[in-house]
Each structure stands twice: as structure tokens, then as C-alpha cells.
């Protein structure tokens, strides 16, 4: 499974490979090949291209050039055509002037490529086909990282489809999709950001599936005593002059849930000046792990064995909106592959992986 966003166009790659091979071959004739030497022009500017039209090149629609470089060409009726092509390859600026003529490329290949070079071309084109294999790009909330990586690995093994995962705060991912980022699936940590994309008609017709749920917890980087969260809790005193790490409280789902919980417990007004906000929930957890802040509000699934953090309190579910992870295919993405992956996410195999990472699976009525 890949976790990068870079991708290349196989069509562009093939064209580039063909151009390189033509450049390489036209400057080195085959041994024993019947040929004659001609002169090929220097690189010209757009102004020269428009204004200088004399002699042979005027007739053929090209500007006059100065002799600079020698190249071998075959003798015969194809010479003039090859001459024009080599002029293009050596003499013209690429932007605006190079116009591919596949029959001429094929002719040059027949003239100049040895069997070994033909084998190399075939090999490179095969690489282009491999690069064109089915792939899927998933934009997912940061809190899903480990669980979704495991699920994607299983799916890729079973289907052969390459899964590219991109993790960040749900708000950031939703805005990127709005701006045209090449995503096939959006896996959000709350319904609100999924609804934003739905209102802009960026999702497929069937809409999102509410797949997972989670719990909100208070964590500490030391062996702190358990905290009973209520309206009587002096959270500022527990900070001991430090700060409370939270994801962005007005944008990122974990921060939104956390702020709502503190407001429900009537603790927000006192603790708000002491909050250190981060781009996503994992960044908030990192502040606690490194000891830069004494306490943080994260998801229960963010705390795994071996971390230097411990859960000191769980927020009652009634203190904040229900934590829901909806997932949907993007209308402008690879819809067929996205639907196949969405179906896999709802299988018992995938659900078992999510449960193993601490998530609660939301069972639908039609799941039996």
C-alpha cells in the first residue's frame, strides 16, 4: 500500500520515452547503414519562427536555420520528411511547435532502432502499463490511521488494487476535495464535513455510510490519578500552569466534540485561555506524549499500548454530539473502485480490524 500522493500519467510517460529514444537514435546511425550527412539547425526563438521564412524551410513552413549539428539520414524519398522531423527535434522549442505524427515516429523507429532497442521500448511501454494499474486514493481522518492502514493492506492483497492513503484533519481534507484534490473516497470523523461535500454535490448519489463510532477521553503523560469529570472538576488546577492540548475546536471533529463536552460540563469558559490547539487530533496527542502539555483531549482509539500516555477520564457520551465516522465515494473520482472498497469496509473482515483498534462499528438494520 502506498501512502504518497504523487502519480504520473502513463500516456505522458510513453510519449516522453519515445521522444528520448528518437533523440538518442537520430544522433547515432546504425553500423553499416546507408546514409548521408546533413546539417541541422540551431534552436530558434518564437520571433525567428514567426518572421524568418526563406528557402526550403519557407516552402515547408519552417524558418531558415544556421548549420550547427551533424546527423545521419537515410538516402531516398523519406529524407526530406526525416529532415523536417529532426529539425523539429533539434531545432524547435518544444512548446507550441512539436506536433506528433505517429506514422513518422513509426518510420523513424523502423530506420533507427536495433532489435535490442526495440526490446527496450517494449519493456518501457510495459512499465507504463504497470503504472496504469487500478488504484484508489482515500482521504481519511487522522484518527483512522493505523486501523485503515491494516484494512487497506488486506484489501490490496485480496483485490490487487493499489490503495493510496492520505491522513489529516477532516476539515482540511474536505476543503482539499472542494478545491479539486484527486480523492476517490472521503472518510470523515464527523457528519458535518461530509454534509459540506454533499451539499456541493461532490458525493455519489447513494451518499455516505455511517460506519464507525468512538469515545472521547482525557489523557495525561504521567501516572496521574483518575479524574471524575463533572461541573465541579477544577480542570485548570489539574493543568498545573500548563496547557490542554486539543485539535482545532472550531474546525477539526475531535476539537469540536471536545469543546462541546467542556461546554456541557460548564468547564469551557475557565479552561479556554489554557487550550493549545493543533491541526488534528494526532498532533494534540503528540504534545501530550512529548510532555509539552500535561493533559489533552483525544479519541480513545488514539491511545495504544506502549505509549507514554494514559487515559485519566472518559467524557460521558451525552456531553457531546455522537461521534460518527461517515465514508463516501467522491463523484469525480474512480467510482467503480471506490464502491468496491466501500463494500469491503462493510465486511466482517474489515469490521474485525476496526474493532481490534478500539472502534465501535455502527450496525445498520439491513446488516441483519
Amino acid at each position: 500500500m502506498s501512502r504518497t500522493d504523487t502519480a504520473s500519467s502513463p500516456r505522458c510517460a510513453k510519449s516522453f520515452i519515445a521522444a528520448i529514444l528518437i533523440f538518442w537514435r537520430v544522433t547515432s546511425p546504425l553500423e553499416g547503414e546507408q546514409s548521408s550527412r546533413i546539417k541541422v539547425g540551431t534552436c530558434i526563438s518564437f520571433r525567428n519562427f514567426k518572421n524568418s521564412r526563406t528557402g526550403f524551410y519557407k516552402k515547408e513552413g519552417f524558418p531558415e536555420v544556421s548549420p550547427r549539428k551533424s546527423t545521419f539520414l537515410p538516402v531516398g524519398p523519406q529524407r526530406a520528411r526525416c529532415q523536417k522531423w529532426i529539425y523539429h527535434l533539434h531545432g524547435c522549442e518544444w512548446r507550441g511547435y512539436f506536433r506528433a505524427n505517429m506514422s513518422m515516429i513509426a518510420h523513424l523507429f523502423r530506420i533507427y532502432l536495433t532489435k535490442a532497442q526495440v526490446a527496450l521500448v517494449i519493456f518501457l511501454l510495459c512499465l507504463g502499463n504497470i503504472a496504469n494499474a487500478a488504484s484508489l486514493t482515500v482521504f481519511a481522518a487522522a484518527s483512522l490511521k493505523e486501523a485503515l492502514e491494516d484494512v487497506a493492506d488486506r484489501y490490496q492483497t485480496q483485490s490487487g488494487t493499489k490503495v493510496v492513503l492520505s491522513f489529516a484533519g477532516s476539515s482540511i481534507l474536505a476543503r482539499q476535495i472542494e478545491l479539486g484534490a484527486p480523492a476517490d473516497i472521503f472518510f470523515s470523523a464527523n457528519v458535518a464535513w461530509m454534509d459540506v461535500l454533499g451539499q456541493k454535490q461532490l458525493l455519489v448519489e447513494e451518499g455516505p455510510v455511517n460506519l464507525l463510532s468512538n469515545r472521547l477521553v482525557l489523557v495525561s503523560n504521567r501516572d496521574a490519578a483518575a479524574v471524575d469529570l463533572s461541573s465541579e472538576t477544577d480542570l485548570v488546577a489539574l493543568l498545573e500552569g500548563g496547557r490542554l492540548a486539543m485539535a482545532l475546536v472550531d474546525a477539526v471533529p475531535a476539537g469540536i466534540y471536545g469543546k462541546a463536552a467542556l461546554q456541557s460540563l460548564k468547564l469551557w469558559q475557565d479552561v479556554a485561555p489554557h487550550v493549545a490547539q493543533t491541526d488534528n487530533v494526532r498532533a494534540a496527542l503528540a504534545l501530550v506524549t512529548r510532555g509539552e502539555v500535561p493533559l489533552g483531549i483525544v479519541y480513545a482509539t488514539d491511545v495504544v499500548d506502549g505509549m507514554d500516555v494514559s487515559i485519566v477520564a472518559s467524557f460521558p457520551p451525552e456531553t457531546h454530539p455522537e461521534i460518527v465516522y461517515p465514508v463516501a465515494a467522491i463523484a469525480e473520482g474512480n467510482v467503480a473502485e471506490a464502491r468496491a472498497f466501500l463494500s469491503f469496509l462493510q465486511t466482517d473482515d474489515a469490521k474485525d480490524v476496526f474493532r481490534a483498534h478500539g472502534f465501535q462499528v455502527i450496525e445498520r438494520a439491513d446488516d441483519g
Side-chain angles (χ1 to χ4, degrees):
M1 175 182 56
S2 172
R3 296 176 181 89
T4 65
D5 258 344
T6 58
S8 61
S9 168
R11 181 177 298 177
C12 292
K14 291 176 184 177
S15 300
F16 183 67
I17 290 168
I20 290 177
L21 289 172
I22 294 172
F23 267 113
W24 165 47
R25 199 59 207 126
V26 296
T27 56
S28 56
L30 295 178
E31 184 177 354
E33 181 179 76
Q34 185 183 15
S35 59
S36 62
R37 185 178 294 271
I38 67 166
K39 299 295 183 179
V40 179
T42 57
C43 185
I44 59 172
S45 68
F46 178 74
R47 180 179 299 175
N48 290 336
F49 186 88
K50 297 293 288 185
N51 299 333
S52 178
R53 296 177 178 273
T54 59
F56 170 80
Y57 293 105
K58 179 178 180 181
K59 176 183 177 182
E60 298 298 331
F62 297 100
E64 187 178 13
V65 295
S66 302
R68 178 179 63 91
K69 191 172 183 180
S70 297
T71 298
F72 288 92
L73 282 178
V75 174
Q78 296 294 342
R79 176 170 176 170
R81 294 182 67 197
C82 291
Q83 182 176 351
K84 289 191 294 181
W85 262 88
I86 295 171
Y87 176 84
H88 261 301
L89 293 173
H90 288 282
C92 290
E93 295 177 338
W94 281 89
R95 287 179 295 181
Y97 303 134
F98 185 76
R99 297 292 183 269
N101 182 309
M102 296 308 297
S103 64
M104 195 61 237
I105 291 179
H107 178 73
L108 290 177
F109 270 41
R110 288 196 300 271
I111 294 173
Y112 288 116
L113 294 185
T114 65
K115 291 182 180 179
Q117 291 161 354
V118 169
L120 176 60
V121 172
I122 294 173
F123 172 73
L124 293 174
L125 292 179
C126 287
L127 289 181
N129 290 333
I130 293 173
N132 200 29
S135 63
L136 187 71
T137 301
V138 181
F139 280 18
S143 54
L144 290 164
K145 188 174 188 301
E146 291 79 13
L148 194 56
E149 285 175 350
D150 287 351
V151 171
D153 282 337
R154 295 194 183 197
Y155 178 74
Q156 184 165 307
T157 300
Q158 293 183 19
S159 67
T161 299
K162 177 183 177 182
V163 181
V164 181
L165 301 176
S166 178
F167 297 100
S170 298
S171 57
I172 294 174
L173 297 174
R175 292 189 184 109
Q176 289 178 349
I177 293 172
E178 282 187 86
L179 295 173
D184 301 308
I185 286 179
F186 179 43
F187 208 155
S188 176
N190 76 347
V191 175
W193 283 112
M194 186 66 75
D195 287 344
V196 169
L197 299 186
Q199 291 166 5
K200 295 181 181 295
Q201 299 182 340
L202 296 176
L203 307 178
V204 293
E205 288 184 6
E206 56 265 34
V209 175
N210 294 334
L211 191 63
L212 304 173
S213 185
N214 212 332
R215 294 183 298 116
L216 202 65
V217 297
L218 183 69
V219 295
S220 173
N221 65 341
R222 51 184 181 241
D223 294 330
V227 176
D228 182 18
L229 287 173
S230 69
S231 59
E232 304 299 323
T233 303
D234 191 350
L235 197 53
V236 175
L238 293 175
L239 291 174
E240 298 179 350
R243 290 186 172 271
L244 176 67
M246 297 178 65
L248 293 170
V249 298
D250 293 322
V252 179
I256 295 172
Y257 294 134
K259 179 180 178 180
L262 294 173
Q263 287 175 328
S264 177
L265 295 170
K266 295 180 172 37
L267 301 176
W268 175 250
Q269 186 172 356
D270 291 337
V271 80
H274 305 277
V275 171
Q277 299 188 51
T278 61
D279 287 339
N280 59 70
V281 68
R282 290 302 177 87
L285 179 65
L287 290 180
V288 181
T289 303
R290 295 195 299 263
E292 296 180 24
V293 297
L295 298 173
I297 297 177
V298 299
Y299 297 118
T301 54
D302 293 323
V303 183
V304 298
D305 294 338
M307 280 189 173
D308 294 330
V309 295
S310 58
I311 296 175
V312 296
S314 294
F315 287 90
E318 63 271 14
T319 62
H320 56 78
E322 182 183 6
I323 299 174
V324 176
Y325 288 78
V327 58
I330 304 301
E332 296 298 323
N334 186 343
V335 176
E337 290 292 343
R339 283 174 173 151
F341 186 65
L342 288 177
S343 296
F344 181 78
L345 291 177
Q346 299 171 68
T347 62
D348 291 339
D349 189 16
K351 289 178 180 178
D352 289 342
V353 174
F354 286 122
R355 290 191 183 101
H357 284 271
F359 288 93
Q360 301 155 10
V361 176
I362 300 175
E363 299 291 351
R364 298 190 300 169
D366 56 356
D367 289 337

